[in-house]
Amino acid sequence: MPDSWIDPSPDTGFDLNTLPYGVFDVGGDEGAGTRVGTAIGPHVLDLGAAARATGSPHADVLGAPNLDALLAAGRPVWERVRAELVEWLTDPAHEAAVRPHLVDRDAVRLHLPFTVADYVDFYASEHHATNVGRIFRPDQAPLTPNWKHLPIGYHGRSGTIVVSGTDIVRPTGQRKPPTEPVPVFGPSARLDIEAEVGFVVGTPSAMGERVGVDDFADHVFGVFLLNDWSSRDLQAWEYVPLGPFLGKSFATSVSPWIVPLGALEAARVDQPVQDPEPLPYLRGERPWGLDLRLEVRLNGHVVSRPPFAQMYWTAAQQLAHMTVNGASLRTGDVYASGTVSGPEVGQRGCLLELSWSGKEPIRLPDGTERTFLEDGDEVTITATAPGAHGGTVHFGEVTGRILPAR
Amino acid sequence: MPDSWIDPSPDTGFDLNTLPYGVFDVGGDEGAGTRVGTAIGPHVLDLGAAARATGSPHADVLGAPNLDALLAAGRPVWERVRAELVEWLTDPAHEAAVRPHLVDRDAVRLHLPFTVADYVDFYASEHHATNVGRIFRPDQAPLTPNWKHLPIGYHGRSGTIVVSGTDIVRPTGQRKPPTEPVPVFGPSARLDIEAEVGFVVGTPSAMGERVGVDDFADHVFGVFLLNDWSSRDLQAWEYVPLGPFLGKSFATSVSPWIVPLGALEAARVDQPVQDPEPLPYLRGERPWGLDLRLEVRLNGHVVSRPPFAQMYWTAAQQLAHMTVNGASLRTGDVYASGTVSGPEVGQRGCLLELSWSGKEPIRLPDGTERTFLEDGDEVTITATAPGAHGGTVHFGEVTGRILPAR
């Protein structure tokens, strides 16, 4: 890949390997509304303005107030727009037209980048599911009989998906400690994170139609990070028989920069061997394992490095499963991987696992201990992946701080 | 209530007791777009046109292409608009302005009346939950320990909520018959209905804020019928541990006429006694039991008459529970009661119960038998409730026909 005419220092991670899409406004300038941008070096490039200045055929989708129009435009447009961004940022002939539309990244406020339609959360890490099974159902086999036959998932609450940086109020509700005969009411005492990877659908599908596992890249626009905040005590009391509800629905945080699938070609890897072999509708030509390396920080200290390449089910298999019954897709549908946990203790993607349900507190370098989250705690998830020509794709971060229960 | 100047014959059920809201277009006139209307006698009244003709202050919300603006307008507007509709239809002074905007109900096509935000399905009938527990988990207590402490619910798929009359394609997927060692793939062999009552939120709430059980009527705009189509074989194999997913997500049908809460004052009844007494956040000043009498027809034959007044948890309690953790509400949020089943066999709201999981086929008057739905079957749910002054509130119908799997 040629170099950009933009000075890469200071190194902020976002170079030509990523070119993610986000939605921003400039502080103190709310009246101007939100705009679509890409992160490059220490800047955000206003893509609508750059498109108009260069006479781009994509000025309409890039000049919209959010990513909805670009998502709906479909894969050929996604590919042409990405190629156009590279051209703008590498060809010195475009510098004069494009440079005026660079905004200092520190000066912008980032927004939820698209309108969320439905939200599905999967449960695709064998290590996570095994650990949770051992903790929640110690008298049974850790994996349920269906787990290796289908990617287990459930619908979450779209309306409480919030952008990184949004404060999270500690949820309140019913929980039943084992020592109590009846449920008690109050703030959750076991508030947790789940480090996940999210996917957003661009191209919809019709009701009654299936999307094949090899059609993944025709429908999914991009990838981002997601923190599926979880109240373990609310969840444990409510989830039998119809699954998680209030233990999850209070908030889900997402990173503001959507990394297009086109940036992840070099990150594709084989997924773990699936035994038993899944049914034909879950088998693809070429696997969609993705070598994303996550990092979870609690109050600035790294507490886990979950390896996404270890996920048992891929996002392509999840999409095929989600639609095999004829359920339609809409532009803006979000689905998430489920907690990313690797085989090692230091690769577990939630505190439930890291502290083994509170029995083994984790020690932070500042001398404090944690089992679950305390008020004021801040959690940040970041990730990188291999880019083209030895480069690195960056996902930015999803962060959130816990406020006391109201 | 005074009489309407509209000739009530033929009796279509929709008189001044109901005045429901729906969205229609007139066949052959697609270019004109969709309009908001109410059903009255054999007519639909074009409410935007009537509002303009009468100089109503609500011409904006009633002139919109769907109910979104009316839903968002809030309870004081809901009450004023309903009073205005009564005035238009009873005061002869309005007849000249209003009559030209009556459309023959047989000539209109009805649409999904609002933009669905999130969709939550509850499980609030003790009789249904007990029957399902006996069928699915015969070795355990039929009700889980949490059932009488909280209204159990889960999120469903908003994007596959369709309006009455939409054909339903039989879903395909994985199921594991007890006789097989591994799952098999194919069309669902146990396709079912669930007769439910749905509620739509008008007034939103902020994240971190709770909506109290007595604030129900400030947030919920209206009531409708809902058929939560269910594939029992897909569901049985997938639902442990995270709840129903593909067994439900292929389609949910709703009736096109939204009955405003203001029509249901005479239908309010005490709910069944709750023992144990629920936690304080689930207790209200005045109960929101509703005496809706449902009727389920299969190919025209009545197979069940579920009594909504028997529901253990009310819609007001469900709303308070859904937000107790700080989850926000959006205009257009839908939630449903769960299958409505009474204590009698002829009051069960799904075929799983009516045929006791296929062991006791139901006999139709045409001489055929059913355990679950066959291709070509048509299911219609209707309901009535007591109206003011001895009148009757009608809910219209939700209907759907099964097409073969693709």
Side-chain angles (χ1 to χ4, degrees):
Chain A
M1 198 178 294
D3 283 342
S4 174
W5 45 258
I6 291 181
D7 178 2
S9 64
D11 179 13
T12 64
F14 287 123
D15 60 20
L16 294 175
N17 281 283
T18 308
L19 294 178
Y21 297 96
V23 167
F24 71 100
D25 69 12
V26 178
D29 189 21
E30 279 78 7
T34 59
R35 294 175 258 171
V36 171
T38 192
I40 181 76
H43 315 287
V44 172
L45 175 60
D46 181 333
L47 290 177
R52 288 187 294 273
T54 57
S56 161
H58 305 113
D60 276 358
V61 290
L62 296 177
N66 61 35
L67 299 184
D68 294 358
L70 179 61
L71 292 180
R75 185 175 180 184
V77 172
W78 306 339
E79 291 176 351
R80 286 199 295 270
V81 168
R82 184 167 168 81
E84 195 172 38
L85 265 53
V86 172
E87 196 188 310
W88 289 347
L89 294 167
T90 55
D91 186 344
H94 287 297
E95 183 174 350
V98 171
R99 186 178 282 282
H101 307 295
L102 292 173
V103 183
D104 181 359
R105 191 134 58 90
D106 289 339
V108 308
R109 190 170 51 182
L110 294 167
H111 296 262
L112 199 61
F114 54 86
T115 306
V116 180
D118 271 303
Y119 165 42
V120 168
D121 194 25
F122 284 95
Y123 191 53
S125 159
E126 181 176 2
H127 306 291
H128 171 70
T130 301
N131 287 332
V132 170
R134 286 197 180 120
I135 290 168
F136 273 19
R137 297 174 291 276
D139 52 335
Q140 296 169 37
L143 293 182
T144 49
N146 53 12
W147 201 92
K148 291 205 166 180
H149 292 282
L150 53 83
I152 289 179
Y154 66 101
H155 284 86
R157 192 163 186 83
S158 306
T160 49
I161 292 183
V162 295
V163 73
S164 174
T166 306
D167 288 335
I168 305 301
V169 177
R170 180 181 296 273
T172 293
Q174 289 194 34
R175 55 205 164 88
K176 194 184 155 301
T179 51
E180 301 286 338
V182 293
V184 298
F185 183 81
S188 171
R190 293 162 65 94
L191 184 55
D192 200 354
I193 60 161
E194 293 197 336
E196 306 198 14
V197 174
F199 299 83
V200 57
V201 169
T203 304
S205 67
M207 242 175 101
E209 179 183 296
R210 299 180 209 166
V211 174
V213 68
D214 291 318
D215 298 328
F216 172 66
D218 290 331
H219 288 273
V220 166
F221 172 80
V223 186
F224 49 95
L225 302 175
L226 185 145
N227 186 347
D228 178 31
W229 305 97
S230 298
S231 163
R232 301 303 180 188
D233 38 5
L234 270 57
Q235 184 185 351
W237 172 231
E238 76 180 355
Y239 90 105
V240 176
L242 299 186
F245 184 33
L246 299 191
K248 303 279 193 172
S249 65
F250 56 97
T252 305
S253 298
V254 297
S255 57
W257 293 110
I258 311 300
V259 176
L261 271 198
L264 295 172
E265 199 50 40
R268 288 181 70 170
V269 292
D270 285 341
Q271 69 194 102
V273 173
Q274 295 192 305
D275 180 20
E277 185 179 41
L279 282 162
Y281 80 94
L282 292 169
R283 295 179 213 155
E285 291 291 316
R286 199 182 142 206
W288 267 105
L290 286 171
D291 185 16
L292 275 51
R293 298 148 196 196
L294 279 64
E295 209 161 68
V296 182
R297 285 188 175 74
L298 174 52
N299 298 336
H301 310 298
V302 175
V303 294
S304 179
R305 292 194 169 86
F308 191 70
Q310 296 278 336
M311 299 299 274
Y312 191 86
W313 296 103
T314 68
Q317 291 178 312
Q318 289 166 342
L319 189 75
H321 185 64
M322 188 159 52
T323 60
V324 71
N325 68 342
S328 50
L329 298 174
R330 289 183 294 175
T331 299
D333 278 348
V334 163
Y335 64 103
S337 60
T339 307
V340 184
S341 291
E344 310 296 330
V345 172
Q347 297 179 325
R348 294 172 178 169
C350 67
L351 294 172
L352 178 73
E353 292 170 84
L354 285 164
S355 75
W356 207 255
S357 195
K359 293 192 185 72
E360 300 167 13
I362 56 173
R363 245 168 249 281
L364 300 179
D366 64 8
T368 63
E369 289 188 342
R370 284 295 180 287
T371 50
F372 293 95
L373 295 174
E374 299 186 2
D375 292 344
D377 279 353
E378 184 170 65
V379 177
T380 303
I381 306 168
T382 58
T384 58
H389 312 295
T392 301
V393 173
H394 281 258
F395 283 76
E397 66 175 33
V398 54
T399 189
R401 197 166 53 97
I402 305 303
L403 298 187
R406 286 188 190 154
Chain B
M1 197 178 294
D3 282 342
S4 174
W5 44 259
I6 291 180
D7 179 2
S9 65
D11 180 13
T12 64
F14 288 123
D15 59 20
L16 294 175
N17 281 283
T18 307
L19 295 178
Y21 297 95
V23 168
F24 70 101
D25 70 12
V26 178
D29 189 19
E30 280 78 7
T34 58
R35 295 174 258 171
V36 171
T38 191
I40 180 76
H43 314 288
V44 172
L45 175 60
D46 181 333
L47 291 177
R52 288 186 295 272
T54 58
S56 162
H58 305 113
D60 276 358
V61 291
L62 296 177
N66 60 35
L67 298 183
D68 294 358
L70 179 60
L71 292 179
R75 186 175 179 182
V77 172
W78 306 339
E79 290 176 350
R80 286 199 296 269
V81 168
R82 184 167 168 83
E84 195 171 39
L85 265 53
V86 172
E87 196 188 310
W88 290 346
L89 293 168
T90 55
D91 185 343
H94 287 296
E95 181 173 350
V98 170
R99 185 178 281 283
H101 307 296
L102 292 173
V103 183
D104 182 358
R105 191 134 58 90
D106 290 338
V108 308
R109 191 168 50 180
L110 294 167
H111 296 261
L112 199 61
F114 55 86
T115 305
V116 179
D118 271 303
Y119 166 41
V120 167
D121 194 25
F122 284 95
Y123 191 54
S125 159
E126 181 176 2
H127 307 291
H128 171 70
T130 301
N131 287 332
V132 170
R134 287 197 179 120
I135 290 168
F136 273 19
R137 297 175 290 276
D139 52 336
Q140 297 168 37
L143 293 182
T144 49
N146 52 12
W147 201 92
K148 291 206 166 179
H149 292 281
L150 53 82
I152 289 179
Y154 66 100
H155 283 87
R157 191 163 187 83
S158 307
T160 50
I161 291 184
V162 295
V163 73
S164 175
T166 306
D167 288 335
I168 306 300
V169 177
R170 179 181 296 273
T172 293
Q174 290 194 32
R175 53 205 166 89
K176 194 183 156 300
T179 51
E180 300 287 337
V182 293
V184 298
F185 183 82
S188 171
R190 292 162 65 93
L191 184 57
D192 200 355
I193 58 161
E194 294 197 335
E196 306 197 14
V197 174
F199 299 83
V200 58
V201 169
T203 303
S205 67
M207 242 176 100
E209 180 183 294
R210 300 179 209 167
V211 175
V213 69
D214 291 319
D215 299 328
F216 172 67
D218 289 330
H219 287 273
V220 168
F221 172 80
V223 186
F224 51 95
L225 302 175
L226 185 145
N227 186 346
D228 179 30
W229 305 98
S230 299
S231 163
R232 300 303 181 190
D233 37 6
L234 271 57
Q235 184 185 352
W237 172 231
E238 75 179 355
Y239 90 104
V240 175
L242 300 186
F245 183 34
L246 299 190
K248 303 279 192 171
S249 65
F250 56 97
T252 306
S253 297
V254 297
S255 57
W257 293 111
I258 310 301
V259 176
L261 272 199
L264 295 172
E265 200 49 41
R268 288 181 71 169
V269 291
D270 285 341
Q271 70 195 101
V273 173
Q274 296 192 304
D275 180 18
E277 186 179 40
L279 283 162
Y281 80 94
L282 293 169
R283 296 180 211 154
E285 291 290 316
R286 199 183 142 205
W288 266 105
L290 286 170
D291 185 16
L292 275 51
R293 300 149 195 193
L294 279 63
E295 209 162 68
V296 182
R297 285 187 175 76
L298 174 53
N299 298 335
H301 309 298
V302 175
V303 294
S304 179
R305 291 193 169 88
F308 191 71
Q310 296 278 336
M311 299 300 273
Y312 192 87
W313 296 103
T314 68
Q317 292 179 310
Q318 290 166 341
L319 189 74
H321 184 64
M322 188 158 54
T323 59
V324 71
N325 68 343
S328 50
L329 298 173
R330 289 183 295 174
T331 299
D333 278 347
V334 163
Y335 65 100
S337 61
T339 307
V340 184
S341 290
E344 310 296 329
V345 172
Q347 297 179 327
R348 295 171 176 169
C350 66
L351 294 172
L352 178 74
E353 292 170 85
L354 286 164
S355 75
W356 207 254
S357 195
K359 293 191 185 74
E360 301 167 12
I362 57 173
R363 249 167 246 281
L364 299 179
D366 64 9
T368 63
E369 289 188 341
R370 285 293 181 289
T371 51
F372 293 95
L373 295 174
E374 299 186 1
D375 292 343
D377 278 353
E378 185 170 66
V379 177
T380 303
I381 306 168
T382 58
T384 59
H389 312 295
T392 302
V393 173
H394 282 257
F395 283 76
E397 66 175 34
V398 54
T399 189
R401 197 167 51 99
I402 304 303
L403 299 187
R406 285 187 192 156

